[in-house]
Amino acid sequence: LNLNLYLYLALFLLLVGLFVHAHLKRRREEARRQDVHPEPGTEPQGPETEDRGQGE
Amino acid sequence: MKPVLFRFSDGAYIHSGHFMLFVGGLLAILLLAIEIRRTGEKPEKIWGLMVLLSIAAVYGAHAFYWLDFRKEYGYGLKHLFIFWKGGMALYGGAILAFVTYALYTHWQKMDFWRTGDLLTPPAALFVFCARLGCILSGCCHGRECRPDFPFAMAAAPPTGPIAPHTPVYPTQPASAAAALLILVVLWARWSRKKFEGEIALIGMLIYSATSFVIEGYRGDLRVLYQILGTEISQNQVISVNLFLAALILYFYRLRESRAEQAPTLP
């Protein structure tokens, strides 16, 4: 049985793993950055606090 | 020489040439990871490129080998796709990898030259390991030489037309030494580079020049032309073209960088 193919597969999977890891890390960083400094128009909407029916 | 590096009790085996490609790949990935951290490049783009380059390099190298040796070893069409059996030809991998590289950097809007600088030292390390694999497996051997040649080495099977144990030129150690030389020169040059792309172009220049000379002593290559009684192989034709292209690009990039740095008159 020729095991050479498994060496190439291991190397390829390592590269795919590094790519996925780096990609996910970048997305997490971007999400965190958006939480700290939300872009205009993307601020989270808080609960409605309309002064309705607060007496006459 | 040890063509089969590991042989397990159940008959499974790992070929030394392929194993050294694996080791070279691992070391190149490690060096690239260090460089990415040092330079602050976007890792997701570089690793994405590397995934595609690995496929292109392996298939390109195997296809080139298949083209060169299909008659000698009686390879059929199915062998073209079984890359883990048979050998690799470095220039084939480099050509297909370069096409992939150009397309990917354009698509991802990456700096063509800066990314090239980043990838060249790991590529040299990879080639060094690959050439150690050639020594172990006995491929890429030299032509027959006089027994009193100071660096003569005994040819190991499969040697094609050369009888085993015949004294041959040490082309495999010479190729490994050339790759190591490239790595050292690039390492020394990195901090003093004058323009983006200089590292990649110096790597190409040294590789093509050393390769042209070493390939002239190889005993297993397909001869394409005979010029003034000298046999020129396919790899040597590629080496000459690569050298000229790298030389022209080097001076073009140098002039461009000098023009950018020159003070502009009011």
Side-chain angles (χ1 to χ4, degrees):
Chain A
L1 179 66
N2 184 330
L3 296 178
N4 296 337
L5 176 64
Y6 297 99
L7 297 178
Y8 289 103
L9 272 178
L11 213 53
F12 182 71
L13 288 177
L14 174 64
L15 281 173
V16 172
L18 284 166
F19 168 68
V20 172
H21 172 73
H23 193 72
L24 291 176
K25 196 175 168 189
R26 169 74 56 191
R27 283 184 68 174
R28 269 201 307 273
E29 275 172 10
E30 276 173 9
R32 199 178 306 138
R33 210 175 302 134
Q34 273 205 336
D35 284 348
V36 178
H37 303 292
E39 287 172 18
T42 59
E43 294 94 340
Q45 298 292 315
E48 288 187 10
T49 52
E50 287 177 15
D51 291 337
R52 204 183 301 159
Q54 294 276 328
E56 295 178 24
Chain B
M1 310 288 177
K2 198 172 168 55
V4 175
L5 202 56
F6 302 108
R7 194 180 288 280
F8 302 96
S9 54
D10 58 351
Y13 63 93
I14 293 175
H15 191 267
S16 53
H18 293 276
F19 183 76
M20 286 313 293
L21 287 178
F22 170 72
V23 172
L26 279 183
L27 292 177
I29 288 170
L30 187 67
L31 182 57
L32 186 58
I34 293 168
E35 284 194 348
I36 288 172
R37 184 161 284 199
R38 198 161 57 97
T39 56
E41 289 289 332
K42 287 181 176 174
E44 69 279 9
K45 286 195 174 185
I46 302 290
W47 294 126
L49 170 64
M50 286 303 294
V51 168
L52 297 178
L53 282 186
S54 65
I55 299 169
V58 166
Y59 265 103
H62 184 67
F64 225 61
Y65 174 85
W66 181 85
L67 277 172
D68 260 357
F69 293 98
R70 69 185 191 283
K71 282 179 187 159
E72 197 173 330
Y73 294 118
Y75 290 142
L77 192 63
K78 69 168 185 177
H79 288 96
L80 178 60
F81 303 99
I82 308 174
F83 63 85
W84 57 96
K85 289 179 182 170
M88 303 273 174
L90 205 139
Y91 268 140
I95 291 168
L96 200 59
F98 178 76
V99 174
T100 310
Y101 172 80
L103 292 173
Y104 185 88
T105 47
H106 179 73
W107 171 46
Q108 287 289 318
K109 297 181 179 62
M110 294 164 78
D111 189 312
F112 182 88
W113 294 108
R114 200 174 61 231
T115 312
D117 284 348
L118 193 75
L119 298 189
T120 307
L125 183 59
F126 176 75
V127 172
F128 171 67
C129 292
R131 291 304 186 189
L132 292 183
C134 294
I135 299 172
L136 285 170
S137 64
C139 65
C140 310
H141 57 81
R143 273 192 284 124
E144 192 175 343
C145 68
R146 287 162 50 145
D148 58 346
F149 181 70
F151 303 106
M153 56 190 286
T159 50
I162 299 172
H165 311 299
T166 306
V168 290
Y169 289 109
T171 47
Q172 306 119 319
S175 299
L180 200 60
L181 172 77
I182 295 172
L183 194 61
V184 172
V185 170
L186 299 187
W187 202 261
R189 191 70 204 161
W190 185 279
S191 56
R192 288 178 287 160
K193 72 172 181 177
K194 292 180 190 140
F195 54 88
E196 300 290 5
E198 188 183 3
I199 299 298
L201 290 170
I202 289 176
M204 277 166 68
L205 281 169
I206 305 175
Y207 183 80
S208 54
T210 53
S211 183
F212 179 83
V213 176
I214 295 166
E215 303 279 338
Y217 290 94
R218 268 177 72 169
D220 62 332
L221 289 179
R222 194 153 53 96
V223 172
L224 280 189
Y225 310 107
Q226 286 215 337
I227 301 171
L228 299 172
T230 308
E231 293 175 331
I232 303 285
S233 74
Q234 175 183 268
N235 283 4
Q236 283 180 304
V237 173
I238 299 172
S239 291
V240 170
N241 287 304
L242 184 66
F243 184 82
L244 291 175
L247 197 66
I248 292 167
L249 282 170
Y250 186 91
F251 286 109
Y252 173 74
R253 293 284 302 157
L254 186 65
R255 223 178 95 181
E256 240 184 14
S257 75
R258 279 181 182 160
E260 278 169 17
Q261 284 164 8
T264 48
L265 293 171

